[in-house]
Amino acid sequence: MTRVCRACDEPIPDGDGVVVMHEMGNSGPGWDVWAHKDHADDVELIGDDLLRIMLRLWTAGS
């Protein structure tokens, strides 16, 4: 299986990758998100749209 780095979109050779998060699927178990060990801190864990929605919900709840 070829794994691709979420941060740089390059293939990850064996032994150089780490799982940075797990994305849930609408049907089924979902999938693991991989990155190079050096790029693990560069992966954005929350999308811009989700962040915008959550900020509105948090503001409305205050």
Side-chain angles (χ1 to χ4, degrees), residues 1-23 31-45:
M1 172 193 302
T2 302
R3 295 184 174 109
V4 177
C5 179
R6 176 63 66 95
C8 70
D9 294 328
E10 296 290 325
I12 300 173
D14 291 339
D16 187 35
V18 292
V19 176
V20 291
M21 69 179 166
H22 181 83
E23 290 187 345
W31 54 89
D32 292 329
V33 176
W34 289 81
H36 290 104
K37 290 178 183 176
D38 295 339
H39 298 165
D41 292 333
D42 298 336
V43 175
E44 304 242 352
L45 298 179

